[in-house]
Amino acid sequence: MSGPVKQPKKADSRPTRAEQARATRRRIIAAAAEQFIALGYGATRLDQVAERAGVAVQTVFFHFGNKRTLLKEALDVAAVGDDEQVALLERPWVEQIQRETDPQRIVELWMVTSRAIVERVASLMRVVRGATGTDPELAAQWDTNQQQIRTAHGFFVQLLAARGALKPGLGVEQAVDIAFVIGNVETYLQFSEVCGWTLDEWQQRIGELLSAALIADTTKQ
């Protein structure tokens, strides 16, 4: 008689140490974002973040070192929507918008992505902005964020310029300035907090403003 049939070994489904560490970082970042938004930067304590994330406070220090770095990491994750090491302008949506030839459609696609980003980062940007007066390093972080936002709008304007869509006499640098100010998260905070605009209203109206300010009127040509 033949012996018992050996069953193939099951693959080990347990997460690796790297996967466990990444999951821990995700929990800490999510907990920190909630605390920063609810309490503000100054009132948020790392022991509170640790308790909310279900880890020891030493684990928070091990992964992030300090509260300032944790806020930066939370903002970075919010900007792109995940913790993958892929820059914003290297995401799949970039290829889609680069294939588009219609300038008005480029604006529409840009506003779809802008809305998603603003929805994720606005509350945390408000936290950073509120701490700039008391923390020089967070003030520097705010400046860095603004430069990153301007760079992203530079990419957007270059798409329009490459298609010959900019208004006559409007240079690329000036167009970037206009797009940056109109579409900035800081401007969104003013529209939402002071003027009471909803995200839907912001997306539609800023898209209309960008089109009117940047794109040449082909009906007059």
Side-chain angles (χ1 to χ4, degrees):
M1 291 181 61
S2 59
V5 177
K6 289 186 178 180
Q7 296 295 325
K9 269 183 134 183
K10 290 184 179 180
D12 191 348
S13 60
R14 291 176 298 179
T16 65
R17 285 187 178 181
E19 290 169 339
Q20 289 175 332
R22 187 174 180 182
T24 298
R25 284 178 61 88
R26 286 172 176 164
R27 292 202 312 275
I28 294 170
I29 288 173
E34 292 175 0
Q35 293 295 99
F36 285 134
I37 292 168
L39 304 175
Y41 180 74
T44 295
R45 302 198 316 268
L46 292 187
D47 61 329
Q48 296 170 322
V49 172
E51 182 178 0
R52 195 172 188 87
V55 299
V57 69
Q58 291 87 351
T59 303
V60 178
F61 280 107
F62 173 78
H63 283 286
F64 300 99
N66 56 57
K67 186 166 68 170
R68 189 181 299 112
T69 299
L70 185 51
L71 176 56
K72 178 185 181 301
E73 290 286 334
L75 191 58
D76 287 346
V77 168
V80 296
D82 56 50
D83 63 348
E84 298 290 339
Q85 298 301 306
V86 181
L88 178 66
L89 294 180
E90 295 174 5
R91 297 272 162 165
W93 65 269
V94 173
E95 185 177 347
Q96 179 188 9
I97 199 172
Q98 285 176 321
R99 289 197 305 264
E100 186 56 59
T101 58
D102 178 12
Q104 188 56 52
R105 181 61 179 156
I106 289 174
V107 174
E108 292 171 0
L109 290 173
W110 181 257
M111 290 310 303
V112 169
T113 298
S114 295
R115 177 204 169 108
I117 294 171
V118 160
E119 189 170 16
R120 293 192 301 262
V121 306
S123 295
L124 284 172
M125 287 293 282
R126 188 184 295 114
V127 172
V128 178
R129 183 186 63 181
T132 56
T134 57
D135 191 316
E137 291 194 38
L138 281 181
Q141 180 62 46
W142 175 266
D143 291 340
T144 297
N145 293 142
Q146 293 300 300
Q147 288 303 315
Q148 291 170 337
I149 294 168
R150 193 180 190 283
T151 297
H153 282 91
F155 164 79
F156 162 66
V157 168
Q158 287 289 353
L159 290 176
L160 298 177
R163 289 151 184 75
L166 292 182
K167 284 188 169 185
L170 180 62
V172 170
E173 284 302 309
Q174 186 180 15
V176 173
D177 292 340
I178 293 169
F180 166 68
V181 172
I182 291 177
N184 198 339
V185 178
E186 173 75 348
T187 309
Y188 165 77
L189 291 174
Q190 293 294 316
F191 278 130
S192 62
E193 294 173 353
V194 179
C195 304
W197 286 17
T198 65
L199 260 173
D200 286 340
E201 291 170 335
W202 180 83
Q203 180 180 349
Q204 178 183 345
R205 293 170 183 173
I206 294 302
E208 292 169 353
L209 285 171
L210 288 173
S211 295
L214 302 178
I215 298 177
D217 186 354
T218 56
T219 63
K220 296 182 180 179
Q221 297 177 359

